[in-house]
Amino acid sequence: SRESVAQEKCRLLRAVRALEMRDCFLGQFGRNEWTANGKTHVEPGYLEDSTVPEGSRCPTFAAVVLAVDNDRWRGVPFMLRAG
């Protein structure tokens, strides 16, 4: 039923361990240049954007590893990333 699915979702979310900084990776995209089929492609870095304050340390990429403390998922890393 819809209620039992909702209950299981809540149980799963309660079993997710709280994140610590050692579980996280933060970064900022830099300039990238590559050549494909003899053509060079350039992608500017975040700090090269004129609307970004000089020296900004704002993360543009993040990744975390979630751990679930239950019998089914213990020991299985859930990796999430964005950016």
Side-chain angles (χ1 to χ4, degrees):
S1 73
R2 185 169 43 194
E3 292 80 20
S4 64
V5 170
Q7 286 175 347
E8 287 302 311
K9 286 180 181 180
C10 288
R11 256 180 52 194
L12 176 67
L13 291 173
R14 281 193 291 273
V16 174
R17 272 193 231 145
L19 287 173
E20 297 181 17
M21 280 309 294
R22 70 174 182 223
D23 303 313
C24 304
F25 174 85
L26 300 175
Q28 188 179 82
F29 286 103
R31 180 181 184 84
N32 189 19
E33 187 174 308
W34 70 98
T35 302
N37 299 323
K39 184 176 178 187
T40 300
H41 303 271
V42 177
E43 202 168 271
Y46 177 70
L47 293 176
E48 294 175 79
D49 185 317
S50 63
T51 63
V52 174
E54 187 175 328
S56 172
R57 297 187 68 209
C58 179
T60 59
F61 178 86
V64 298
V65 178
L66 297 179
V68 179
D69 268 334
N70 68 18
D71 291 337
R72 181 175 187 173
W73 299 110
R74 190 170 289 111
V76 178
F78 288 86
M79 295 173 229
L80 308 174
R81 65 183 184 157

